[in-house]
Amino acid sequence: MRLPAAIVAVAVSAALLTPGVAAADPVQQSSPPSRDFGNGPERNEEAAGLGEGVAALRSGRPGESAQPDFRRPAHDRGYPRQTKLPVPAENPADAAIKLGLTPYHGIAAKLNDLQRRSDRVSAEITGRSHNGHDLYLVTVTAPESRGETREQDRIRDRIENDPAKAARDRNLAKKYKAPIFFNGNIHGNEWEGTDAALRVIEELATSTDPATAALLKRTRLYFNVTANPDGRIAGTRQNGAGFDLNRDFITASQPEVRAMRQIMIDTQPVAMLDLHGYVNGTLVEPTTPPHGANYEYDLFITNAYPNGLGIEAAILALGYTPEKDGVFPPQIPFRDSDEGWDDWPPIFTPQYAPFQGAVATHTIEFPMRVNGAEYTNLPVEELRRRSAINVDIAAAAVRATYGFVDSRHDRVIADQIEVFRRGTAGEPAKEVPLGIVPGFGPEDVYTTTYPRAYVIPAGDGQRSATAAARLVDHLVANDVRVERAKLPFRAGGKLYPAGSYVVDMRQPKRGLANVMLEPGADISPRVDAMYDISGWSHALIWGATVDTVTSGSLHVLGVPVGAAAPTGSVPKGRGPLALAVRDAKEVRAVNDLLSQGVALVWADGAAIVPDAARAAARTVADRYGVAFTKARSADGVPLAPVRVAAAVAADELFTLRELGFDVTPVSTAVLNAGYDWSGTDVLMVSSGLSYTALNAEARAALDAFLATGGVVTRGGTGATFNAAAGLLTATAVAGRSDANGVVRVTNGTGQVAGDAPPHSFVYSPRWFTGLGPEVTVEQSYANDGPLVSGHWRANANGTGGPEAARGQAAVVSGRDERGAAVVLFGTEPLFRNHPKGLFPQVARALFWSAAVTGSTVTTR
């Protein structure tokens, strides 16, 4: 995707004027900003060597990874709540040291010292990163007695749960400390937000200025000091699992994101700042269109834009100039760019926070690049000069934001109340008036129609009870209210059984419920450039059946859901059992049984379990919430644990391991160094492996494997590998490289997609033509659309659009002349660990390709 022209121009100019920088530096300085623009998904192409990334599953509950619960019991004490943080061992290799910034191992000691010196500072651990590093939350506020803290809790609860009454309480705002959330270092190699947070915390802790004392009596400031310690230490954008945390907020696959999510739920901030680098001049949101249709955007833009202007003024007041320092004036995309830096998807921290009540949220991109080639090539003195400027600018943005909230304290609280009141009352979405702030025009108007409710059916109307339970748990974890019906009920002209789940859209956080459950919108006609993904729908691609009740009355005798009801079951009696692989938890259960040595066979997309293994089946049914049925036959192809050699992106590697597969990362370099194929059943290729770049020995070894092994590929790299290796007769056709979203598909009757949902997800989509007689079409793009929601235009020459994909093969399978079982994906079934309902397609491809080649045949 394209960087807005204004941003490109300023970034290049800044590099030209940076003092003491070599002639090659302008090219480096003009590289893309924090959110990557590029051709295809943002991925870590260096998959080899990543850690396992497999977390233990909570017993009996489909869903997220287990992690110690760092949240305290109900607020039973006042402030400060000081904790002596464990101090990590010194790490001289910490990447922050070179920049003159605080290494991760130095943070806890600083916070312990500040807690010792000031009763305004409380530090706590909110979780652990993928690599096990503590995550620190610092609260800065005036001291509170236990009773005063309880009063704050009661007010916060009233704002969310009884907003109409809260709106009528004229004394509420006077008594309430406005919460503000500052998030630092979510991208590990954008370090300076952490140091800015530490600087401001110390200023507030030690200041004797009466204005500071007054501020802290009216606010609580929450600092997530480093959101990504793994990346901070290693100097990588991603965390230890290879994930960009600032793309994970409606998936919450990573522990760091789940910690941030819980902070926002617990603190209910009115404003939020996310500190990033590097765009010169400093980029300050609000954004270009398209704007998220589920926000209360009139309340948002009337706070976010003036705060953005205030941040701009604070940065200018620092006195940095292009001529003297190489620092250009700030830019505000809403004001200064037409498109390309939008707030459409709720995957970014500042775009998720409004759904938890924030009415002013911002990404800040401080200006002076110190990562990438600059980190490697620039003198240490120049790097530290740049980092010092970035810390100054980030700290100025923090001060401006808490000053803004303090200056309109009562209004931002009232606006948060109004967000929740509109949701609870079920009012129609408001169309934002033109000119509500200067420059707000027709191109900025995006809205939606809220349904009356969503129903996640029980019984025969549910495609997958396991998937339904996972979706319900995910909604609840995001603080969306769900009820479970105690009796049958009728809604939208349809009768639903007891046990069905209902998301009544008359609730405070209806925007978050709707942004997850609605199909979304095709925004291709309105803009040409999007920042990142443009389409998603938990209802369509997470594997559960979700019905929309558009209007009418809703009478349900239900109980609030804290966790979905158990879904695991094994039928009584004797005989073999069948477990259809239609959900990620069923994949995990199959792999668990295989790891125990249970003799399974594979038949028509299901694993068949012998009667003798009923006890093991009951255990995994309870552990993963999967439902076994009576098998019609015990016959099938014997199945053993599938050993995968994977040249894949980091998100795919994480997901394959999460599903329980035994995965060994490989690449062109790994194979060229000599690779033993005897421990591999299937090769998966989507990134980092070129058949033509293999040396003669590596190619011969791979060709020998292909006589007995299976192959699964995805995307352009996979399609190229298929052609170069002479596997299936199929010509891959590329759609526009930045096309992405939810698409309609038609499933065939093959082994991979026979029971798949009627929707899939694409990013840089592909389809296959010129199919040989050995090829089976597993899944095709529908003739209707196929885009449901997202952004997919044709290329300038008319090729690569959704019209060209209609009816074309999206997933194909077959046996090549050597006997290898091959599956080619033109879709994105594992994308960022998000489309949970599509994971089984990859698992079934792996099971099938391994089983039919004989690689995993076992004797029984």
Side-chain angles (χ1 to χ4, degrees):
M1 300 186 193
R2 296 197 300 275
L3 183 64
I7 298 173
V8 172
V10 173
V12 173
S13 300
L16 292 170
L17 291 168
T18 301
V21 176
D25 192 57
V27 176
Q28 298 169 352
Q29 186 74 14
S30 64
S31 56
S34 167
R35 297 189 193 169
D36 284 352
F37 291 82
N39 294 324
E42 180 180 295
R43 296 188 180 281
N44 177 4
E45 299 298 323
E46 298 298 327
L50 283 176
E52 274 287 325
V54 181
L57 297 164
R58 290 181 290 178
S59 177
R61 173 68 54 224
E64 297 157 351
S65 304
Q67 172 151 302
D69 185 0
F70 293 95
R71 285 173 290 156
R72 291 194 171 95
H75 298 308
D76 57 355
R77 50 193 175 130
Y79 281 93
R81 299 174 177 179
Q82 295 179 331
T83 304
K84 186 175 182 180
L85 304 172
V87 177
E90 184 174 340
N91 178 6
D94 190 301
I97 295 172
K98 183 177 181 179
L99 303 174
L101 300 174
T102 307
Y104 173 75
H105 60 260
I107 295 172
K110 283 180 177 286
L111 297 179
N112 286 338
D113 179 61
L114 286 170
Q115 289 183 103
R116 181 184 58 80
R117 294 161 56 196
S118 174
D119 61 1
R120 296 170 175 175
V121 178
S122 302
E124 59 188 300
I125 296 170
T126 59
R128 293 198 181 108
S129 70
H130 174 85
N131 285 351
H133 300 294
D134 289 341
L135 303 171
Y136 307 124
L137 177 68
V138 174
T139 305
V140 183
T141 195
E144 299 171 22
S145 68
R146 181 181 300 181
E148 288 170 331
T149 296
R150 287 176 176 169
E151 181 180 39
Q152 293 297 307
D153 293 344
R154 286 192 293 268
I155 295 172
R156 184 173 59 251
D157 181 76
R158 192 185 317 156
I159 288 172
E160 179 185 350
N161 297 313
D162 195 358
K165 184 175 181 180
R168 294 191 298 269
D169 185 345
R170 295 182 179 180
N171 294 316
L172 181 146
K174 297 175 184 177
K175 296 181 290 185
Y176 189 49
K177 290 183 168 182
I180 313 169
F181 178 43
F182 300 101
N183 201 44
N185 199 203
I186 192 171
H187 289 146
N189 62 352
E190 298 164 14
W191 294 267
E192 292 91 345
T194 294
D195 293 81
L198 292 170
R199 176 185 294 180
V200 173
I201 292 167
E202 183 166 13
E203 290 172 356
L204 296 171
T206 60
S207 173
T208 58
D209 184 354
T212 299
L215 166 77
L216 297 181
K217 288 180 180 179
R218 288 161 48 88
T219 60
R220 279 192 194 160
L221 311 183
Y222 298 97
F223 295 86
N224 191 29
V225 179
T226 172
N228 184 1
D230 297 354
R232 182 177 188 82
I233 295 166
T236 61
R237 178 185 180 91
Q238 298 85 358
N239 74 340
F243 272 72
D244 183 334
L245 302 177
N246 205 36
R247 303 292 185 276
D248 194 41
F249 271 88
I250 56 167
T251 308
S253 70
Q254 301 303 300
E256 300 92 336
V257 171
R258 294 194 288 275
M260 286 181 271
R261 178 182 68 187
Q262 197 61 49
I263 290 169
M264 287 184 272
I265 291 171
D266 291 345
T267 65
Q268 205 168 291
V270 295
M272 184 268 168
L273 204 61
D274 205 25
L275 299 169
H276 290 257
Y278 301 94
V279 177
N280 197 353
T282 301
L283 184 144
V284 180
E285 290 181 346
T287 74
T288 69
H291 302 301
N294 286 284
Y295 303 128
E296 302 295 339
Y297 216 77
D298 59 325
L299 303 175
F300 179 82
I301 195 64
T302 51
N303 287 296
Y305 188 45
N307 189 37
L309 294 172
I311 293 171
E312 177 185 48
I315 293 170
L316 290 172
L318 295 173
Y320 291 116
T321 68
E323 298 77 13
K324 177 171 61 76
D325 309 291
V327 177
F328 272 74
Q331 54 192 307
I332 299 176
F334 171 77
R335 180 191 64 195
D336 300 330
S337 301
D338 293 330
E339 60 180 38
W341 192 283
D342 58 87
D343 57 8
W344 181 253
I347 59 175
F348 312 115
T349 324
Q351 279 63 54
Y352 178 83
F355 295 120
Q356 299 296 347
V359 294
T361 67
H362 308 262
T363 293
I364 304 298
E365 298 273 352
F366 28 79
M368 306 302 285
R369 185 174 294 278
V370 295
N371 60 8
E374 283 81 352
Y375 185 92
T376 303
N377 298 325
L378 289 180
V380 170
E381 294 77 9
E382 172 61 14
L383 289 172
R384 293 186 173 188
R385 183 190 74 85
R386 292 184 177 197
S387 282
I389 291 171
N390 291 335
V391 173
D392 286 349
I393 287 174
V398 170
R399 295 186 202 101
T401 298
Y402 68 63
F404 171 81
V405 171
D406 189 42
S407 70
R408 58 165 69 187
H409 175 274
D410 292 7
R411 174 175 170 176
V412 292
I413 293 170
D415 284 347
Q416 183 180 82
I417 293 170
E418 177 64 6
V419 169
F420 294 145
R421 189 202 65 78
R422 291 178 186 178
T424 303
E427 292 185 358
K430 293 188 181 295
E431 184 169 307
V432 184
L434 302 183
I436 190 170
V437 296
F440 194 95
E443 71 281 2
D444 291 299
V445 177
Y446 286 79
T447 190
T448 191
T449 300
Y450 293 110
R452 180 63 186 83
Y454 291 98
V455 178
I456 303 172
D460 294 339
Q462 180 53 250
R463 181 180 178 277
S464 169
T466 305
R470 180 183 52 244
L471 178 58
V472 167
D473 283 341
H474 186 69
L475 292 168
V476 171
N478 282 275
D479 207 28
V480 172
R481 299 177 184 187
V482 184
E483 290 189 327
R484 189 166 186 256
K486 298 174 68 174
L487 298 171
F489 65 96
R490 186 173 294 276
K494 183 175 178 180
L495 182 64
Y496 292 96
S500 296
Y501 297 100
V502 180
V503 181
D504 187 340
M505 290 299 287
R506 293 180 181 173
Q507 63 171 288
K509 297 178 182 178
R510 65 169 180 182
L512 184 53
N514 207 50
V515 83
M516 289 184 175
L517 296 176
E518 69 175 350
D522 177 2
I523 58 170
S524 309
R526 294 198 61 177
V527 293
D528 184 60
M530 292 291 294
Y531 195 93
D532 202 273
I533 65 165
S534 311
W536 60 91
S537 174
H538 295 64
L540 298 183
I541 58 176
W542 272 42
T545 300
V546 181
D547 294 340
T548 304
V549 179
T550 57
S551 60
S553 59
L554 187 67
H555 301 288
V556 180
L557 179 60
V559 294
V561 174
T567 54
S569 64
V570 174
K572 295 180 179 179
R574 298 181 62 84
L577 302 168
L579 181 61
V581 178
R582 295 178 296 189
D583 184 79
K585 294 299 179 184
E586 289 152 353
V587 178
R588 190 67 186 91
V590 170
N591 281 327
D592 194 332
L593 291 170
L594 289 170
S595 71
Q596 297 178 47
V598 176
L600 306 181
V601 299
W602 183 253
D604 298 323
I608 309 301
V609 183
D611 179 69
R614 277 180 169 262
R618 282 191 289 270
T619 298
V620 299
D622 179 64
R623 181 175 297 158
Y624 303 110
V626 298
F628 290 82
T629 60
K630 292 183 177 180
R632 294 191 299 268
S633 168
D635 296 335
V637 179
L639 189 63
V642 180
R643 301 162 300 177
V644 183
V648 296
D651 54 347
E652 293 169 314
L653 180 63
F654 178 91
T655 303
L656 290 171
R657 287 173 164 167
E658 186 180 59
L659 292 172
F661 288 103
D662 178 5
V663 186
T664 302
V666 297
S667 63
T668 303
V670 169
L671 299 191
N672 280 338
Y675 180 74
D676 180 5
W677 288 97
S678 63
T680 298
D681 303 312
V682 183
L683 170 65
M684 185 167 176
V685 181
S686 67
S687 175
L689 178 56
S690 168
Y691 184 86
T692 58
L694 295 175
N695 60 39
E697 293 80 6
R699 192 177 303 179
L702 174 57
D703 289 342
F705 164 78
L706 294 175
T708 59
V711 178
V712 176
T713 79
R714 177 200 59 79
T717 298
T720 299
F721 179 88
N722 173 75
L727 300 176
L728 297 186
T729 306
T731 300
V733 180
R736 180 166 142 165
S737 64
D738 63 350
N740 69 87
V742 178
V743 294
R744 295 183 185 89
V745 293
T746 302
N747 294 313
T749 57
Q751 291 289 328
V752 174
D755 292 329
H759 297 90
S760 191
F761 183 83
V762 296
Y763 197 124
S764 299
R766 277 166 172 75
W767 52 94
F768 303 98
T769 63
L771 304 179
E774 81 280 14
V775 177
T776 297
V777 177
E778 296 277 353
Q779 186 179 84
S780 300
Y781 294 110
N783 289 311
D784 179 15
L787 188 67
V788 175
S789 59
H791 186 269
W792 187 353
R793 285 185 170 187
N795 295 310
N797 64 3
T799 63
E803 299 82 6
R806 289 173 183 164
Q808 300 293 337
V811 182
V812 298
S813 67
R815 304 286 296 275
D816 80 344
E817 61 184 14
R818 288 163 289 199
V822 182
V823 179
L824 312 179
F825 283 92
T827 57
E828 276 272 3
L830 303 182
F831 185 78
R832 296 179 184 165
N833 196 243
H834 178 70
K836 310 293 187 182
L838 311 184
F839 295 177
Q841 295 178 39
V842 175
R844 288 171 61 147
L846 294 170
F847 287 139
W848 172 77
S849 62
V852 300
T853 57
S855 299
T856 65
V857 172
T858 59
T859 56
R860 302 184 62 194

